[in-house]
Amino acid sequence: MQVPFNIPYTTGNELKYIEDCINTGKICGDGKYTKLVNKYLEETLFANKILLTTSCTHALEMAAIQMGLKEGDEVICPAYTFVSTANPILLRGAKVIFAEIDEKTLNIDLDDVERKITNKTKAIFPVHYAGVSCDMDSLMDIAKKNNIMVCEDAAQALYSTYKNRYLGTIGDYGCFSFHETKNYVCGEGGAISINSADALAVEKAEIIREKGTDRSKFYRGQVDKYTWVDIGSSYLPSDMLAAFLYAQLEAKNEIFERRERVYNRYYEGLKELQDKGIIRLPIIPDFCKSNYHMFYILCESEKQRDYLMANLKQAGITAVFHYLPLHTAPVGEKMGYKKGQLPITEKIGATLLRLPMYADLTDEQVDYVISNIKNLLLK
């Protein structure tokens, strides 16, 4: 049996909507389906303003510009994340301050965040790892006390909640991903949530997204011509991608239920190994409702993780590790970081193994993965 790591889910309406998009005669950004997706996300997330972007990376770049980050500023984020969390900070000339992660949730350690705040700290970029929420009340209290902005990297967390509030809508900004490995996809794509009720904040985001021009106001008939008014870039995705995504979002409940079933089957099937102290399974705090983006296991050692990964591959199962901690990467070393500074992050980076996880995964495939893991680890 072959069990790939990921297969993008399709609902059956993607091509229908793409064809309709083509027939409208407008396939560039901010067409019919871009507007439908923006509105759908705003209504279902109870968000102030959502703008579709070309990627979550670009949404994070927009947030960094919106925050006015500049040389001399410091921004705290976890080292256990994708490079897209850190790059937007560096692109603005600001300094990345890497924080440790919590060993239970793998999210940013708020005690370490507080230790690393200085008078130069301008923002915190928390990451909701695997769709599991950070403790947002505590994080926002820290931010408010120190007059610091918050941008939630919710790339993996669309429709996850913290105390019944959707992730990405709690901080000053939230950023989402629709990459093919995420729950809801369009190949490449993202979105930014502007959570301030200030109309000027929304207007500024539209200008940044439209190459620094006020073209969005022009299209709404608010100005008779548009012009270059600020810095920005081309962050609009094709309306054809939005058409694909709209079909995905329409099926969000079905996709959620399928992923929840897979997650729970993994958990129940592998709990015996956790009870024996051989592996550790994911932890979802009571304050969080997960979107079941990922199922991972934490092994006893890097040696055990690599042994398991190699032997699962031999059985036709693609299980993969995740982030190499950013502070130990070449760029992190150039910034002055070195191995040993964030021991929990480094331990997780060496022992975490992600199992195949997608909406079309069958019970038979999940059971095949479980039985192979048990056979390998119970020897």
Side-chain angles (χ1 to χ4, degrees):
M1 183 183 291
Q2 295 295 313
V3 188
F5 177 69
N6 177 66
I7 297 176
Y9 182 75
T10 53
T11 70
N13 281 330
E14 287 84 358
L15 290 177
K16 172 185 168 185
Y17 292 161
I18 289 172
E19 184 178 12
D20 180 53
C21 174
I22 293 168
N23 290 336
T24 67
K26 182 177 172 65
I27 63 173
C28 64
D30 269 347
K32 170 184 175 180
Y33 284 96
T34 307
K35 290 181 173 68
L36 282 171
V37 167
N38 289 345
K39 184 180 178 184
Y40 186 92
L41 289 171
E42 287 166 4
E43 290 177 348
T44 56
L45 293 172
F46 304 102
N48 175 58
K49 184 65 177 180
I50 300 275
L51 294 172
L52 203 59
T53 63
T54 32
S55 65
C56 185
T57 304
H58 281 165
L60 288 159
E61 287 181 18
M62 283 183 61
I65 297 171
Q66 189 96 349
M67 288 174 166
L69 297 181
K70 62 186 184 304
E71 190 173 347
D73 293 340
E74 294 178 353
V75 179
I76 301 172
C77 73
Y80 195 65
T81 184
F82 192 51
V83 296
S84 292
T85 312
N87 267 331
I89 300 163
L90 296 179
L91 285 168
R92 302 307 306 150
K95 184 178 181 181
V96 174
I97 305 297
F98 287 123
E100 186 60 281
I101 57 172
D102 177 85
E103 199 161 10
K104 290 183 179 179
T105 63
L106 314 192
N107 287 326
I108 198 166
D109 182 330
L110 298 185
D111 290 333
D112 198 37
V113 168
E114 286 203 275
R115 283 191 291 269
K116 289 175 175 172
I117 290 174
T118 71
N119 60 3
K120 295 180 180 179
T121 307
K122 292 295 185 289
I124 305 169
F125 278 38
V127 177
H128 301 298
Y129 186 75
V132 173
S133 175
C134 300
D135 181 350
M136 289 304 295
D137 280 347
S138 298
L139 191 150
M140 295 305 292
D141 284 345
I142 292 168
K144 185 175 180 181
K145 182 173 67 176
N146 292 280
N147 195 27
I148 294 169
M149 293 175 286
V150 173
C151 175
E152 298 174 73
D153 184 337
Q156 303 172 10
L158 183 62
Y159 293 118
S160 290
T161 61
Y162 171 79
K163 295 183 179 179
N164 297 319
R165 293 182 66 188
Y166 286 108
L167 300 186
T169 69
I170 302 170
D172 297 282
Y173 304 96
C175 300
F176 306 100
S177 174
F178 303 111
H179 184 268
E180 74 163 22
T181 57
K182 300 303 188 289
N183 295 26
Y184 313 98
V185 306
C186 60
E188 298 278 358
I192 183 169
S193 179
I194 299 97
N195 300 326
S196 169
D198 183 358
L200 291 177
V202 172
E203 182 178 324
K204 184 175 180 180
E206 289 181 333
I207 288 168
I208 293 167
R209 180 170 169 261
E210 270 282 18
K211 311 164 191 70
T213 73
D214 56 358
R215 185 156 62 174
S216 293
K217 292 176 75 173
F218 171 73
Y219 281 141
R220 289 195 295 266
Q222 294 171 321
V223 292
D224 60 359
K225 55 182 178 290
Y226 68 89
T227 188
W228 185 20
V229 294
D230 206 339
I231 63 169
S233 191
S234 183
Y235 294 128
L236 278 122
S238 161
D239 208 52
M240 289 190 290
L241 290 178
F244 191 107
L245 180 58
Y246 189 61
Q248 295 271 303
L249 294 175
E250 279 187 326
K252 74 179 182 68
N253 293 337
E254 177 188 343
I255 292 171
F256 175 89
E257 289 165 5
R258 284 168 170 260
R259 298 184 75 98
E260 182 181 34
R261 188 202 76 239
V262 172
Y263 183 99
N264 289 338
R265 197 171 187 90
Y266 269 136
Y267 196 96
E268 291 304 315
L270 293 170
K271 192 172 181 299
E272 177 190 354
L273 295 178
Q274 176 169 263
D275 293 342
K276 292 178 183 292
I278 299 172
I279 61 171
R280 205 207 83 186
L281 301 179
I283 294 171
I284 301 176
D286 291 340
F287 58 64
C288 175
K289 176 64 176 173
S290 175
N291 65 354
Y292 305 106
H293 170 64
M294 185 193 308
F295 195 94
Y296 62 82
I297 61 174
L298 290 169
C299 299
E300 292 176 327
S301 65
E302 186 173 6
K303 183 179 178 182
Q304 185 196 59
R305 191 270 307 273
D306 292 348
Y307 159 80
L308 194 56
M309 186 164 53
N311 282 276
L312 289 174
K313 186 177 180 180
Q314 290 295 318
I317 299 165
T318 305
V320 297
F321 59 83
H322 210 183
Y323 308 126
L324 297 175
L326 296 184
H327 72 291
T328 65
V331 174
E333 290 175 355
K334 286 178 186 175
M335 292 161 57
Y337 288 95
K338 58 186 178 180
K339 242 180 180 179
Q341 286 183 294
L342 300 172
I344 296 173
T345 296
E346 291 165 34
K347 177 186 173 186
I348 297 301
T351 59
L352 185 141
L353 185 66
R354 293 184 292 163
L355 304 184
M357 182 70 178
Y358 49 93
D360 275 331
L361 206 57
T362 66
D363 289 349
E364 184 183 15
Q365 287 174 308
V366 175
D367 292 343
Y368 179 68
V369 176
I370 292 168
S371 65
N372 272 273
I373 292 173
K374 283 186 169 180
N375 289 338
L376 289 165
L377 295 183
L378 289 174
K379 281 184 180 177

